[in-house]
Amino acid sequence: MDTPTLPVLERIASALERLSPPPATLEGVDTADAFVWLPERGRLLPVPHVAHVPVDLLRGVDLQRKILIENTEHFARGLPANNAMLWGARGMGKSSLVKGAHALANQVDGKPCAPGKGAIALIEIQREDLATLPLLLSLLRENPRRFILFCDDLSFEKEDRDYKALKSVLDGGIAGRPENVLFYATSNRRHLMPRDMIENERSTAINPSEATEEKVSLSDRFGIWLGFYACEQDTFADMVQSYARERNLPIADEDLMARANEWAITRGSRSGRVAFQFIEDLTAELAEH
């Protein structure tokens, strides 16, 4: 080979190395208790502080809270536990409950553990990255820590095939689901796909009962299925008053609720998210006076 050709080949080789993704690793998994999965880098990005609402401030979801906290604590202690789907109305505390249950499971004597010392590591994975779940599972399977994979606002459209990767977590395939991994997901859709799509595929299929069974039955593979519903006025009032008491806001209940109801009317809904947003605004306003 001509000597002048070698530098060119070396530059090509270096360029290919820069373009190829690095090997996936769990480096740093003991430095924090929450992470975001970055498949393009094959890394877990540590999240030093998870923004969460204390679970005792979540109102109107007493049964859902009890079930998910118990399941999470069982998992933290090495007992059998189920994957969980939290579905239903927007802003009613689905993702807040997941993060709050994780924080609660990582407390000792009512205080948070030191970073990286919690019983469970929470890993957030984006819906568009579900195809990389087999890679992530292969990394987690051999690690001594326990992990909850969390996908917020999960849903599938007609041409999606990523739900098949999700089955590797829920069913485990030939290798079985790793004992140290659970999957928690939230969704506004009960069956993870639009109702009109379900009805359309059933109406046009040769065998309607099988047309959407594979996708619709995906939700049935979650051992725990928790529904969240739009809150009534009394529940909304309880939410607002709980947040106000937690912040010691100097305002009478009558004035508080009059302003909270006006806030909800302008947004066209009542929910835990609306109550929290109102309290954020009110806290800032009262601090200025």
Side-chain angles (χ1 to χ4, degrees):
M1 182 178 294
D2 296 337
T3 302
T5 307
L6 291 177
V8 176
L9 294 177
E10 290 174 353
R11 289 196 298 272
I12 293 174
S14 298
L16 291 175
E17 289 179 0
R18 289 193 297 270
L19 291 173
S20 61
T25 176
L26 290 184
E27 181 181 356
V29 72
D30 295 320
T31 63
D33 293 315
F35 303 86
V36 175
W37 170 237
L38 303 177
E40 69 279 1
R41 295 169 53 187
R43 297 291 190 276
L44 294 175
L45 177 67
V47 180
H49 174 72
V50 177
H52 72 276
V53 176
V55 291
D56 57 354
L57 288 180
L58 299 177
R59 294 293 195 267
V61 292
D62 293 349
L63 179 59
Q64 297 92 324
R65 177 174 55 199
K66 178 179 181 295
I67 292 173
L68 193 71
I69 288 176
E70 287 182 352
N71 189 68
T72 306
E73 290 179 344
H74 288 166
F75 183 60
R77 299 202 304 267
L79 299 173
N82 279 301
N83 300 309
M85 163 62 70
L86 291 71
W87 66 273
R90 301 187 307 273
M92 284 303 295
K94 298 186 293 295
S95 60
S96 294
L97 182 54
V98 171
K99 291 181 285 188
H102 167 253
L104 198 61
N106 280 350
Q107 289 183 0
V108 175
D109 297 328
K111 297 181 179 179
C113 294
K117 302 300 182 182
I120 302 173
L122 183 69
I123 300 178
E124 184 175 19
I125 181 170
Q126 302 300 318
R127 198 215 67 81
E128 56 268 23
D129 295 329
L130 288 178
T132 66
L133 271 173
L135 170 61
L136 180 56
L137 285 179
S138 68
L139 295 174
L140 301 180
R141 185 181 295 273
E142 304 302 325
N143 194 278
R145 294 201 74 178
R146 303 184 77 76
F147 302 92
I148 291 178
L149 304 185
F150 174 45
C151 185
D152 196 17
D153 198 19
L154 177 63
S155 63
F156 298 100
E157 303 303 330
K158 184 173 182 179
E159 301 303 324
D160 283 342
R161 294 295 179 266
D162 291 340
Y163 69 91
K164 293 184 177 180
L166 180 54
K167 286 185 177 180
S168 66
V169 180
L170 304 180
D171 290 342
I174 191 171
R177 174 172 62 84
E179 293 183 358
N180 64 331
V181 176
L182 279 186
F183 190 87
Y184 285 1
T186 69
S187 178
N188 295 330
R189 299 170 177 172
R190 182 175 183 179
H191 290 298
L192 303 179
M193 59 188 297
R195 180 178 296 275
D196 59 348
M197 184 189 304
I198 297 174
E199 295 173 349
N200 180 64
E201 291 195 16
R202 284 175 176 166
S203 64
T204 59
I206 296 176
N207 190 334
S209 63
E210 296 180 0
T212 59
E213 181 177 353
E214 186 174 25
K215 289 181 181 177
V216 173
S217 65
L218 180 61
S219 58
D220 295 334
R221 287 175 165 81
F222 289 89
I224 291 177
W225 221 33
L226 302 176
F228 289 68
Y229 307 94
C231 68
E232 301 294 335
Q233 174 62 29
D234 290 347
T235 303
F236 180 69
D238 191 16
M239 293 171 176
V240 171
Q241 292 166 357
S242 297
Y243 284 134
R245 286 194 298 268
E246 193 263 342
R247 298 193 181 189
N248 295 314
L249 297 183
I251 184 172
D253 282 350
E254 184 177 350
D255 188 23
L256 174 69
M257 288 314 305
R259 299 177 64 170
N261 289 332
E262 181 181 358
W263 180 278
I265 290 172
T266 62
R267 277 145 188 80
S269 68
R270 294 188 298 259
S271 70
R273 180 180 298 143
V274 170
F276 182 79
Q277 292 168 344
F278 164 70
I279 291 296
E280 289 278 271
D281 183 78
L282 182 61
T283 301
E285 178 184 334
L286 294 177
E288 293 178 345
H289 298 289

